[in-house]
Amino acid sequence: MPTPPVAAPAAAVVELLGRDGRAAVVQRVTHWPVRIGRSPACDIVLDDGHIAAEHAELQLTPEGGVRLRLLDSRNGGAVAGQRLAAGEEATLPEGGAFQLATCSLRLRTSADALAPEQLMIVHPVRHWALLPLLLLSMLFFQWLDRWSAVDPDSRWIDYASPLLGPLAFVLAWAGLWSLASQLFQHRFPFTTHLRRALLVLVALQVLEWVLPAIAYAFSWPRLMVVESLATPVAGAFLIAWHARLVWPGARRILNGGIAALLVLGLGLQVGSRQEQQYVFGPPYLASLPPPALRLVAPQPPETLIESLKPLKADLAKQARKDNEGAVDDDTGGE
């Protein structure tokens, strides 16, 4: 009794895969067997110098599978990690992936299960004035910092570097993250990355000016520890915020790694603060805002002196260590 002919799939395509595993080129299969090569006479044409004119052929098997047969080629191919030379053949595994020379390909048929449709994330349209407003805010705070640090008769050129340096840095920062998005997501969201960087940067600048004023107004010098913690926390948040656009599928792993590095960095910062005899902020303010911002009654100088007395023993101990080290150096020198 003759063997009944194998029913060909109702539809099939051969995909040329890129480095990220996505289909770069898709060609429809119109009949079987399928000839693959560089020649225009082939059913699937590949524009690659490592591919022979007629490199391989896909054939249906009596069991309903698909078999790859290598034709007269020098570079051969591979199926499931097994190298194939000219004249050899192998059955394609589930998923239909195979290799011809340097080309990664995949056969998909109508019988294969499709992955579920991915939900398209539509980012809300931001107001057109938000980005210019953030840029102007950043430049204003940079100018304000420079103005408070230089002499009143300083030239305008003294403001150029403090203004243009951070601006160039934030533009380059957003550009690098946009290139990463282009590499992994095939889009270049420069405006989105720039807006996120500016939001965090301007928030830190506002905190830098508001926090001392609040600490001074209510006599809370320990509040300044928030300023030291804000920079690493904001930096970790910003990196995670950028990475969410670049690698949305690895959000949990990235957030966990960034959080671990943040905890490690804060631990080192606490250790450094212990050597400086304070952990939760300095006991006094290094700079004072205008007296008009004062909301509580000022403390007399005696209160500050009493608060510094616990440091006397630590300072004396450190002084003895320094003196003993100096004596040892002198003795060794003799």
Side-chain angles (χ1 to χ4, degrees):
M1 184 177 180
T3 303
V6 179
V13 294
V14 174
E15 299 173 338
L16 176 64
L17 305 180
R19 294 182 178 179
D20 56 358
R22 298 189 179 189
V25 178
V26 180
Q27 298 192 41
R28 183 179 293 275
V29 174
T30 58
H31 62 272
W32 297 88
V34 181
R35 190 66 59 96
I36 304 175
R38 202 154 35 93
S39 170
C42 291
D43 304 300
I44 304 297
V45 180
L46 300 177
D47 184 17
D48 190 309
H50 301 94
I51 298 294
E54 294 184 352
H55 199 103
E57 189 176 70
L58 295 174
Q59 303 171 340
L60 294 175
T61 65
E63 296 80 13
V66 178
R67 201 162 179 81
L68 174 69
R69 185 169 69 91
L70 271 295
L71 302 177
D72 188 14
S73 64
R74 299 175 60 184
N75 294 316
V79 173
Q82 176 187 354
R83 295 296 304 174
L84 300 176
E88 297 180 337
E89 57 184 60
T91 301
L92 295 186
E94 184 179 357
F98 61 99
Q99 184 93 13
L100 295 181
T102 59
C103 297
S104 298
L105 299 108
R106 178 173 58 200
L107 173 70
R108 285 200 304 115
T109 71
S110 55
D112 296 333
L114 284 176
E117 178 186 7
Q118 296 183 2
L119 179 64
M120 182 176 64
I121 301 176
V122 180
H123 297 282
V125 179
R126 306 292 181 181
H127 195 274
W128 64 269
L130 178 59
L131 189 59
L133 182 61
L134 289 172
L135 282 171
L136 291 176
S137 300
M138 184 196 73
L139 293 176
F140 169 74
F141 282 110
Q142 292 297 130
W143 171 85
L144 193 60
D145 285 337
R146 186 61 178 172
W147 173 80
S148 63
V150 300
D151 297 331
D153 57 346
S154 298
R155 301 172 300 169
W156 66 269
I157 196 66
D158 296 332
Y159 292 85
S161 178
L163 294 180
L164 297 180
L167 178 61
F169 173 80
V170 73
L171 291 176
W173 173 272
L176 290 175
W177 279 105
S178 301
L179 288 175
S181 297
Q182 178 67 34
L183 179 62
F184 291 96
Q185 297 297 324
H186 304 284
R187 55 196 181 95
F188 195 79
F190 178 78
T191 304
T192 303
H193 283 296
L194 180 60
R195 181 170 54 246
R196 294 186 176 189
L198 288 174
L199 280 171
V200 174
L201 182 59
V202 171
L204 286 175
Q205 290 176 321
V206 171
L207 186 66
E208 182 182 356
W209 283 90
V210 171
L211 203 61
I214 297 177
Y216 172 76
F218 295 97
S219 291
W220 294 339
R222 302 289 186 181
L223 188 63
M224 294 304 297
V225 71
V226 177
E227 184 178 15
S228 301
L229 297 176
T231 299
V233 171
F237 170 77
L238 179 59
I239 293 175
W241 205 9
H242 284 306
R244 183 177 178 180
L245 284 179
V246 181
W247 304 285
R251 187 184 310 175
R252 291 185 178 180
I253 298 176
L254 289 171
N255 290 344
I258 294 172
L261 292 176
L262 175 61
V263 171
L264 177 61
L266 292 178
L268 294 175
Q269 187 177 14
V270 169
S272 175
R273 284 179 174 274
Q274 287 179 338
E275 293 181 358
Q276 300 173 11
Q277 288 83 40
Y278 67 90
V279 176
F280 299 105
Y284 57 89
L285 293 175
S287 60
L288 299 180
L293 298 178
R294 189 76 173 181
L295 299 180
V296 297
Q299 298 292 328
E302 292 76 8
T303 303
L304 175 62
I305 296 174
E306 289 295 327
S307 65
L308 296 178
K309 281 185 177 180
L311 298 178
K312 182 178 180 180
D314 294 332
L315 293 175
K317 182 178 179 181
Q318 185 64 40
R320 286 194 299 270
K321 288 183 178 180
D322 294 340
N323 291 334
E324 291 173 358
V327 170
D328 291 340
D329 292 341
D330 294 340
T331 306
E334 293 175 359

